[in-house]
Amino acid sequence: MNVLLAGLTAAVLAGAVVAVSAREARASLLGLLVVLLASSLLADPLPRPLPLAARIAAALLAARLISISIRGLDRPTAGSRLGWPVEALAAVAAGVVGFGTHGLGATPLGPALASAAGCAVGILAAAPMVTSRDVYRLGTGAMLLLVGGLLIRVGLGGTPSDLEQLVTCGLIAGVGGAVAVVVRAARAATGDLSVGDDTAAPRPPSRHLGRSGGGITARDAAHLEPVAPVAPGPASPEAPARPRRRTPAADPFAGR
Amino acid sequence: MTVLPFLAITFGAAAASLLLRANARMAAAIGIAGLLAAAAAAARIRPEDTLAIGGSELAGSEYLRLFALIGSLVALALTVLGLASVSHRNAPGVLLAGMGSAVLALALTDARIGVLAATAGGLFGVLVTIASPATPRSVVVASRELRALAVAGVLAILATAWIGRPLGGLAVVPEVFGFAYLGFAAAVAIRFGAIPFHFWAARLADAAPEVTLPMLMAWGPAAFAIVALTWADQSVAPLLLPLTAERVAIVAVGAASAVLGIVAAAIQDDLEHVVGYTIIADAGIAILGLAALSPEAWSPAREWILVFITVRSAFAAWAVAMRGAFRTRRISELGGWAVRAPLLAVALVLVAAAAVGFPGLVAWEARASLVDLTIAGPIGIIVVVSSVAQLAIYGRLLVVGLSKPSAAVVAGLSERPTWPDIVEGRRVVGLSRAERAFERGGHAIGGSLDVLWGIPAAIRANRALLAGAIAVLVAALALSLSAGGFGIVEASQAVPVPGGPGPAEGPGAPSSEPPGSSSPAESPGSVSAPASAPPSSGSPVSGEPAPPSVGPSVQPSASAS
């Protein structure tokens, strides 16, 4: 096993865990940048200098575009509901699976560590892609998902050709630009990173927090906000049979 | 001439248009000039021209030339229509970039790179999905679009990578090929917004400008689908594997989209939703082409894809012209439109003829072939009947158009030609003949200048007429293509040059030759399919194998030219 590739794989995993679990947007972006830079090197043989330079430039461009969109952000991102230890363990487990199934039934042309890193990054991207209403996390998940796919492709098919590297650069920069556009638009529209579908019914609160939530409502785990005090209503002859549900006024995200 | 000038023009003009988008007129002018130049460059693409670049190849073909040419012309018409109606300052740039990405994806001989290009092209749509000022709804739609693009992209990347290498030692042949095939087909269905992946696409019709809808929902995904079709034909079909379950799943998605898409379009009151759901319905037929895995499906599938995206672009152009003339998209508010805008009525009839067709028309035969090859029995009949039943949609629009004029239509623009009253009458006051002659000459020059100066105002005053004329032209283009014009049949029969390593090569023997040098005639046999495996061709629903035939899958690549 190549020590350099092992180090790059570790860097990819660490960066991806930070990218999906950090609540500070800049830290998350830094993790994403590490993933993009390390994944461009994760091949055997290494890419030629010119394609490599292009990949690095595309990674920096994508990160720069996203950084512009989160400039002046005074609220944290949603972060991970599971927490970074769980994310890290899941990534390691997926990495082991990727390493063990390298080649997927036939002779691979690339390093096993690329497959491992690809599976790990892909599994980390799943939660933000499926559940998050935070557009920044969703964008991070989209980028990680594509990078995971590209890493598995390197593991299966070997080092990409120069033209493939060039088109990959366009894809990475394009995803970065798209994420930046969406994040900027979300902040302009709502002042926040989380947007809900105004036509959809409000989602119930997290089961882990309970329906009443102890004075706290949560839509995404990071956005814990105190519940606005509810005005006392008229006396009721009967006690409610179950805990009172959130009122639309108390839920700042309802109806968005 | 290779495809390179086309790519340089489209991407260069797209960048210029987007950089100057603060000035909407400038962005539109650059977009129009770029699309004109792109159409000229597309017409000069030659099938025999290939360009080796960066370890891969860009190859021209008749089909690519037709795709690029028709796409550029349609995008040009939509851009001009956007000036007469409602558009977005990013729309010209997005149309150019989307067309450039689609042509790049089709020109690349390596499917692994083609899917990257097709995915990257779809990302430009986010620029127009979020209109300014941004709303929570548009942000939600854009984020769903981004999610769909990423998921479809990674499925396609994995599928092409899985099979795009030597597979001689593969232990579980049907499973591997089946998963890869199913993954790529699912990616195509997601990109098209086929049912049940249609939620993001249905919302897209609300958020994106009308002029960009064909690019986002038809042209970009169509390039993705054509790459998938080529990949399946070169990598999966020659192996004759028993992929019945996978094909049944793909057929189910295609048939459901074809039938339910028409039903959904028929009950909509919003013109853009009608256009969007008819695109989804036609995409269902295209997905059937992926399920066929038969040489007989190669040409009809490619014919159908090019025809349907052109027809739906014409339908979208008609809807844009309607919106521009009457300032509403609601069908219930468009009573009497056909009387007020007869050119648009003609355009709708042409679109209906091109979309539904009749026996003998290329579009009709292509659709019938794809249904015959994939669905047998009553379900196939239902799919065909649903395609014909879309006549009810056009009939409903025409009935509304011939009814009593609504307030919106009365207040809207008429197609009646008019000229702005800006030419002043000039009296001749000279006394002598020479003096009067000079005076008349001066008045003639002044009158000519008045006319020239009045042209912009005349265009504005007659924009409904011009929009109607453009809609008729695009509809006529679609009908011509649907009838087999522009050599679409011959172009669709051409086989692309295979590129990149694939399952054709032996185990552990990566190709040392440049991509594209391997002969597809050697493809079957390198991977040992089970001898008892039934062939994949034939209807997966009925289970009846089709007679063996030699088609594009096993023909030498020289026939591509």
Side-chain angles (χ1 to χ4, degrees), chain A residues 103-105 129 162-163 197 199, chain B residues 54 137 147 162 165 170 203:
Chain A
L104 297 172
M129 286 289 286
D162 291 357
L163 184 60
D197 195 344
T199 60
Chain B
R137 187 181 185 85
R147 182 186 294 161
W162 203 351
R165 63 198 166 113
L170 199 58
R203 297 287 174 83

Side-chain angles (χ1 to χ4, degrees), chain B residues 136-246:
Chain B
R137 187 181 185 85
S138 65
V139 175
V140 168
V141 175
S143 59
R144 287 183 177 184
E145 184 182 5
L146 178 61
R147 182 186 294 161
L149 287 168
V151 171
V154 82
L155 283 173
I157 289 169
L158 292 178
T160 52
W162 203 351
I163 298 184
R165 63 198 166 113
L167 295 173
L170 199 58
V172 282
V173 174
E175 288 80 0
V176 166
F177 281 84
F179 273 122
Y181 169 56
L182 194 60
F184 209 158
V188 172
I190 292 171
R191 282 296 304 269
F192 268 128
I195 294 169
F197 310 106
H198 63 288
F199 292 109
W200 73 274
R203 297 287 174 83
L204 196 63
D206 276 335
E210 293 93 332
V211 294
T212 57
L213 210 55
M215 183 56 67
L216 303 185
M217 291 186 69
W219 288 89
F224 199 80
I226 294 166
V227 172
L229 202 65
T230 308
W231 170 83
D233 189 74
Q234 291 178 346
S235 302
V236 181
L239 303 174
L240 303 178
L241 295 168
L243 302 175
T244 306
E246 292 86 351

Side-chain angles (χ1 to χ4, degrees), chain A residues 4-105:
Chain A
L4 173 64
L5 291 182
L8 288 169
T9 305
V12 169
L13 259 65
V17 169
V18 171
V20 297
S21 58
R23 293 182 59 192
E24 169 63 42
R26 289 173 297 181
S28 173
L29 179 59
L30 192 61
L32 186 62
L33 179 60
V34 169
V35 173
L36 292 174
L37 291 175
S39 64
S40 63
L41 288 161
L42 195 46
D44 189 16
L46 282 173
R48 295 197 307 152
L50 203 57
L52 186 59
R55 283 290 297 270
I56 292 172
L60 293 173
L61 176 61
R64 176 62 181 156
L65 290 172
I66 298 174
S67 74
I68 291 171
S69 71
I70 59 172
R71 187 184 292 158
L73 184 67
D74 55 355
R75 299 186 66 177
T77 70
S80 169
R81 294 185 182 190
L82 302 173
W84 72 265
V86 177
E87 301 278 10
L89 286 173
V92 170
V96 170
V97 171
F99 192 86
T101 59
H102 180 48
L104 297 172

